[in-house]
Amino acid sequence: MEVGLEAGHGRLSCDSNNLSYQIFSALENNFLFGYDWEKERLPGGKVRILSIDGGGMHGIVAGRTLAYLEEALQKKTGDSEARIADFFDVVIGTGVGGLIAAMLFANDGSGRPLCRAEEVWRLLAEEGSRMFKPTSGGIFAKFRRKGANFSGKSMERVLKRLFSAKDGRSLTLKDTLKPILIPCYDLSSAAPFLFSRADALETDNFDFRLWEICRAAAAVPGFFEPVQLSSVDGQTICTAIDAGLVMSNPTAAAITHVVHHKQEFPLVVGVEDLLVLSVGTGQFDRAYNYEKVRRWGADQWAKPVITIVGDGISDTVDHAISMAFGQSRRNYVRIQSNGFTDKCVGDTDDPSEANVKMLLNFADSVLKQKGMESVPFGGKRKLSLSNAERLEWFADELVCEHRSRLSRPIPTVVLKQATRSH
């Protein structure tokens, strides 16, 4: 069950007032009679989180993964119109993951998601040559390898068209169906900046246009120039680049948001109240021999170093979250290449037809691979289930949670709804 909050009035519905009464009754009983919270845990269900890594054209891998999940949800519910956004409460994405999140959770104007999951990877496959269009200018030109200098203007045209409402205005964070988080790095403050629907609903100072956010999230140093963007009211300005170097796997940020944002997720006490799917974009398996790398110049080291940092951060976050979930680890599923494949993984910045075909083949191979799980203090272990089978299991959990909310007396999330003055 989801309960609306009247924007601008700070007034919860009757269902939410009843929820508050039950929570404080439990706390009062705990104080007076030693109430066993775990034994008598309020039946609030689990908050469902979707996290999507960054990775340029490797977003095709994440897109194919989510398309497989969406198809599984449609089969299990018997509803051909079922969408990813129907089964998750929060989404977060870094870089191209932010673009995917916005496409899946933006409101198409009728209260339904803007795109199907299949349309996500098709956009990258079919529009990649426009989004990653080579050009010759830019302040980073001298650091780029031949053919890797891209035109931000070309990408902007694609994004403006994609995130345009029927009345011609640009969609903003307020035009999303569920809480959405997209991290960037703000050069003007030298700190991460989190674009958040929750903040946008509180004040226009933090409501930004989706196409600008996605363009900023794609600003990888050495490929796209930084982007200066402002909130819709012009009061907040940041100079943004992709947050991949500091948050390539943004799952921890999403969990932190849910645990501390009690207004929308009042019953979340710990990780046992969460159901998390973290989607990787495929490890960039590259083996370089010593004789090759010892002759590299500074410009040739740039891309491998970015790759190493990104993969290292992703694995570290994955391991930390696995440790945090502990006995509830089954509630956390990470879909990522296990590093053992005879398929070429493709390049992150090459929109050519040949590279797209390579990435599609790699995406299919990731689904067939045996899943990997981080073991607390024990590295990783290969599972008996393939990634596709793990997605099937996760789809069952999502459908079960979705159906149980229809009869659950206590709302799992209390979403604040956007209002516009037109």
Side-chain angles (χ1 to χ4, degrees):
M1 181 190 300
E2 293 170 0
V3 182
L5 174 65
E6 297 180 41
H9 298 283
R11 192 166 61 244
L12 292 175
S13 69
C14 293
D15 281 344
S16 185
N17 288 330
N18 183 52
L19 170 61
S20 298
Y21 170 76
Q22 293 187 54
I23 292 174
F24 284 106
S25 292
L27 294 173
E28 182 181 51
N29 276 295
N30 182 43
F31 176 74
L32 295 174
F33 311 112
Y35 190 85
D36 188 340
W37 182 274
E38 288 301 323
K39 183 178 179 181
E40 304 294 339
R41 195 176 189 88
L42 293 174
K46 292 180 173 60
V47 173
R48 306 157 300 180
I49 299 173
L50 173 61
S51 174
I52 312 167
D53 284 14
M57 287 296 293
H58 265 248
I60 288 177
V61 179
R64 293 277 276 199
T65 299
L66 292 171
Y68 185 93
L69 176 63
E70 188 169 88
E71 184 177 356
L73 291 169
Q74 291 171 349
K75 290 179 180 178
K76 293 177 187 299
T77 60
D79 181 6
S80 62
E81 295 301 313
R83 299 287 180 262
I84 291 290
D86 298 329
F87 295 88
F88 286 94
D89 304 305
V90 183
V91 64
I92 188 169
T94 295
V96 72
L99 170 60
I100 294 172
M103 290 178 68
L104 295 178
F105 283 75
N107 191 333
D108 69 353
S110 65
R112 295 297 295 154
L114 183 67
C115 298
R116 294 178 291 111
E118 184 178 359
E119 292 175 309
V120 169
W121 69 261
R122 288 193 180 280
L123 174 84
L124 291 171
E126 297 170 4
E127 299 282 355
S129 59
R130 296 184 181 87
M131 297 172 70
F132 295 85
K133 183 178 180 181
T135 187
S136 57
I139 62 174
F140 292 107
K142 65 179 180 180
F143 300 112
R144 296 175 176 133
R145 66 175 176 80
K146 185 178 180 180
N149 187 11
F150 301 120
S151 169
K153 295 298 182 182
S154 183
M155 175 176 278
E156 288 174 10
R157 286 192 289 270
V158 174
L159 295 177
K160 284 180 179 179
R161 184 175 69 250
L162 177 63
F163 295 112
S164 177
K166 294 179 180 178
D167 60 5
R169 67 179 179 83
S170 293
L171 298 178
T172 73
L173 284 169
K174 286 185 178 181
D175 297 302
T176 51
L177 300 167
K178 303 280 183 72
I180 182 172
L181 304 164
I182 301 177
C184 285
Y185 189 85
D186 182 13
L187 295 174
S188 60
S189 63
F193 190 101
L194 193 63
F195 296 100
S196 168
R197 176 184 187 269
D199 292 337
L201 295 182
E202 289 296 324
T203 171
D204 286 342
N205 290 357
F206 293 104
D207 188 22
F208 291 81
R209 298 170 186 85
L210 289 178
W211 79 263
E212 290 185 307
I213 294 174
C214 293
R215 171 63 182 85
V220 180
F223 299 103
F224 284 116
E225 294 182 359
V227 177
Q228 186 173 77
L229 66 166
S230 61
S231 56
V232 293
D233 64 357
Q235 296 301 304
T236 304
I237 298 175
C238 69
T239 302
I241 59 172
D242 174 33
L245 288 175
V246 293
M247 205 183 298
S248 58
N249 178 348
T251 310
I255 292 174
T256 301
H257 175 84
V258 170
V259 170
H260 292 283
H261 200 68
K262 295 299 183 183
Q263 185 181 39
E264 292 190 320
F265 313 106
L267 291 182
V268 174
V269 177
V271 293
E272 63 275 7
D273 301 311
L274 306 177
L275 192 58
V276 181
L277 176 64
S278 177
V279 180
T281 50
Q283 292 175 329
F284 309 104
D285 303 323
R286 287 285 188 272
Y288 300 104
N289 62 53
Y290 174 70
E291 291 302 321
K292 181 177 181 178
V293 301
R294 65 191 290 267
R295 293 190 298 270
W296 280 358
D299 59 331
Q300 291 170 300
W301 271 106
K303 185 176 179 181
V305 167
I306 290 175
T307 295
I308 292 168
V309 171
D311 281 349
I313 291 173
S314 290
D315 284 344
T316 300
V317 170
D318 176 41
H319 191 76
I321 292 174
S322 291
M323 292 181 65
F325 270 76
Q327 297 302 314
S328 302
R329 200 159 63 246
R330 71 192 301 270
N331 292 346
Y332 167 65
V333 172
R334 168 77 172 167
I335 302 295
Q336 175 69 303
S337 167
N338 61 23
F340 303 101
T341 176
D342 57 356
K343 303 285 186 182
C344 184
V345 301
D347 289 329
T348 63
D349 54 9
D350 181 3
S352 69
E353 184 177 344
N355 192 60
V356 167
K357 184 177 180 180
M358 199 178 298
L359 285 167
L360 290 173
N361 288 334
F362 175 58
D364 292 340
S365 75
V366 170
L367 289 174
K368 295 175 183 177
Q369 289 175 3
K370 297 297 183 182
M372 296 290 286
E373 181 181 60
S374 290
V375 181
F377 306 108
K380 290 190 175 184
R381 67 180 176 192
K382 187 180 292 189
L383 303 174
S384 59
L385 297 178
S386 68
N387 284 323
E389 291 170 326
R390 298 174 76 206
L391 285 171
E392 291 282 350
W393 175 86
F394 199 85
D396 284 330
E397 294 295 302
L398 290 175
V399 172
C400 180
E401 172 64 25
H402 184 75
R403 288 173 174 167
S404 66
R405 292 186 183 187
L406 300 177
S407 58
R408 192 177 295 150
I410 299 176
T412 303
V413 295
V414 186
L415 294 186
K416 187 174 181 179
Q417 303 301 323
T419 59
R420 290 187 178 277
S421 56
H422 292 298

